Amino acid sequence: MKGIPINGIVSTTLCILTGVFLSYLFPDLILSYLMTIPGFTVLLLWISICSAQLKLRKYYTPQHGFQVK
Protein backbone atom coordinates (compact mmCIF):
# COMPACT_ATOMS: atom_id res chain seq x y z
CA MET A 1 0.00 0.00 0.00
CA LYS A 2 1.94 2.89 -1.35
CA GLY A 3 1.88 6.14 0.59
CA ILE A 4 0.13 4.82 3.72
CA PRO A 5 2.19 5.19 6.93
CA ILE A 6 1.51 1.73 8.32
CA ASN A 7 4.16 1.99 11.05
CA GLY A 8 2.69 5.26 12.29
CA ILE A 9 -0.85 3.91 12.30
CA VAL A 10 0.19 0.74 14.16
CA SER A 11 2.24 2.62 16.77
CA THR A 12 -0.57 5.15 17.35
CA THR A 13 -3.09 2.34 17.70
CA LEU A 14 -0.88 0.54 20.22
CA CYS A 15 -0.41 3.73 22.26
CA ILE A 16 -4.15 4.40 22.31
CA LEU A 17 -4.95 0.82 23.31
CA THR A 18 -2.34 0.98 26.06
CA GLY A 19 -3.86 4.23 27.32
CA VAL A 20 -7.36 2.77 27.32
CA PHE A 21 -6.18 -0.33 29.18
CA LEU A 22 -4.32 1.71 31.79
CA SER A 23 -7.24 4.09 32.27
CA TYR A 24 -9.46 1.07 32.90
CA LEU A 25 -7.07 -0.26 35.55
CA PHE A 26 -6.12 3.07 37.18
CA PRO A 27 -8.76 5.68 36.29
CA ASP A 28 -7.82 8.34 38.87
CA LEU A 29 -4.08 8.11 38.26
CA ILE A 30 -4.33 8.28 34.48
CA LEU A 31 -6.77 11.20 34.59
CA SER A 32 -4.42 13.19 36.81
CA TYR A 33 -1.53 12.49 34.41
CA LEU A 34 -3.64 13.54 31.45
CA MET A 35 -4.49 16.81 33.20
CA THR A 36 -0.86 17.45 34.20
CA ILE A 37 0.76 16.89 30.79
CA PRO A 38 -0.83 19.89 28.98
CA GLY A 39 -0.01 22.22 31.87
CA PHE A 40 3.61 21.09 31.89
CA THR A 41 3.80 21.48 28.11
CA VAL A 42 2.47 25.04 28.26
CA LEU A 43 4.97 25.82 31.01
CA LEU A 44 7.87 24.53 28.88
CA LEU A 45 6.60 26.51 25.91
CA TRP A 46 6.54 29.79 27.83
CA ILE A 47 9.95 29.11 29.37
CA SER A 48 11.41 28.58 25.89
CA ILE A 49 9.76 31.77 24.58
CA CYS A 50 11.13 33.80 27.50
CA SER A 51 14.62 32.35 27.20
CA ALA A 52 14.68 33.02 23.44
CA GLN A 53 13.59 36.61 24.04
CA LEU A 54 16.28 37.12 26.68
CA LYS A 55 18.95 35.59 24.45
CA LEU A 56 18.00 37.63 21.37
CA ARG A 57 17.36 40.90 23.20
CA LYS A 58 20.92 42.16 22.55
CA TYR A 59 20.35 41.90 18.78
CA TYR A 60 17.23 44.07 18.72
CA THR A 61 17.52 47.48 17.11
CA PRO A 62 16.29 50.28 19.32
CA GLN A 63 12.93 51.56 18.17
CA HIS A 64 11.64 54.86 19.39
CA GLY A 65 8.11 54.72 20.67
CA PHE A 66 5.76 57.62 21.04
CA GLN A 67 6.63 60.58 23.21
CA VAL A 68 4.19 62.41 25.45
CA LYS A 69 4.66 66.19 25.18
Side-chain angles (χ1 to χ4, degrees):
M1 292 195 272
K2 189 174 181 181
I4 299 176
I6 297 296
N7 292 336
I9 293 172
V10 170
S11 64
T12 302
T13 303
L14 290 176
C15 288
I16 289 173
L17 287 175
T18 303
V20 169
F21 181 70
L22 287 174
S23 69
Y24 180 74
L25 293 178
F26 310 105
D28 294 335
L29 181 66
I30 298 300
L31 184 63
S32 84
Y33 280 142
L34 288 177
M35 298 304 271
T36 304
I37 289 170
F40 185 68
T41 304
V42 169
L43 180 68
L44 285 178
L45 177 69
W46 278 106
I47 287 173
S48 65
I49 289 171
C50 290
S51 63
Q53 199 274 340
L54 289 173
K55 181 180 179 185
L56 297 175
R57 183 180 284 184
K58 60 185 169 185
Y59 300 113
Y60 293 163
T61 58
Q63 297 177 353
H64 300 291
F66 68 93
Q67 292 181 352
V68 179
K69 293 183 181 184

